Amino acid sequence: MIPTDFRTSRLDLVPLRVEHADEMAAVLGDPALHTFIGGAPDDVEALRARYRRMLAGSPDPGVSWCNWVLRLRAEDRPGLVGTVQATVTPEGLAEIAWVVGTPWQGRGFASEAARGLVEWLAGRHVRTVVAHVHPDHAASAAVARSAGLAATDVVHDGEIRWEARLGT
């Protein structure tokens, strides 16, 4: 599966390129973004290296790594605001994730992008979408819920598995 451009009401979801690292290093530069996922922000060079690895694809040829940047189309402040990603297996399972930079949080961009991503995946014969959300991360739980996922009783590495079955 190859990521393609698509739109939501306020965002263009653009397949990730190494060149996005320059702008994304600033978008993702707030250490608070790592509260629930651990680690620290990457500088531009580290982010470029990470993007190169991601774009090289999964070592499993049957698994697709699909990554997008979120470009805000607003006239007053256009630019990149975050990312979404999906790891898709041959069995029709997609594990998704999202992140929106701190200055753009609380405006519904993550929910909008996650809903758009689930719709995009549904059009490509994905049958199940999952996300893993830290139990204390209420904002990410709200994004998962908005994208049509429901919390399960499954906990993996301390995170709750959220899941949706798609009608394909």
Side-chain angles (χ1 to χ4, degrees):
M1 184 174 300
I2 297 172
T4 59
D5 291 75
F6 66 97
R7 304 184 114 191
T8 63
S9 62
R10 300 176 293 170
L11 301 167
D12 291 323
L13 284 82
V14 178
L16 179 71
R17 296 189 323 262
V18 172
E19 297 78 29
H20 290 131
D22 294 342
E23 191 173 349
M24 288 305 298
V27 171
L28 303 175
D30 185 351
L33 288 175
H34 296 267
T35 299
F36 295 104
I37 59 173
D42 286 332
D43 64 21
V44 172
E45 285 307 315
L47 202 52
R48 280 188 193 127
R50 181 177 352 145
Y51 288 177
R52 280 188 202 94
R53 287 190 307 275
M54 292 165 67
L55 291 167
S58 170
D60 180 341
V63 173
S64 298
W65 288 350
C66 301
N67 297 277
W68 293 263
V69 292
L70 311 176
R71 183 173 304 285
L72 180 62
R73 288 192 307 273
E75 294 177 20
D76 60 331
R77 198 169 171 200
L80 301 182
V81 300
T83 65
V84 293
Q85 64 185 51
T87 299
V88 185
T89 70
E91 298 79 28
L93 172 75
E95 184 166 341
I96 66 170
W98 50 84
V99 63
V100 169
T102 305
W104 300 276
Q105 290 179 1
R107 298 186 212 173
F109 295 132
S111 292
E112 182 178 325
R115 281 191 307 271
L117 177 57
V118 169
E119 289 173 20
W120 187 89
L121 292 165
R124 281 147 186 86
H125 308 295
V126 168
R127 295 188 308 264
T128 305
V129 176
V130 300
H132 292 90
V133 176
H134 190 283
D136 296 330
H137 200 328
S140 274
V143 170
R145 194 174 301 106
S146 174
L149 283 69
T152 69
D153 294 331
V154 177
V155 176
H156 179 73
D157 288 338
E159 295 184 322
I160 298 169
R161 178 183 170 113
W162 287 69
E163 186 172 309
R165 303 271 183 210
L166 305 180
T168 58

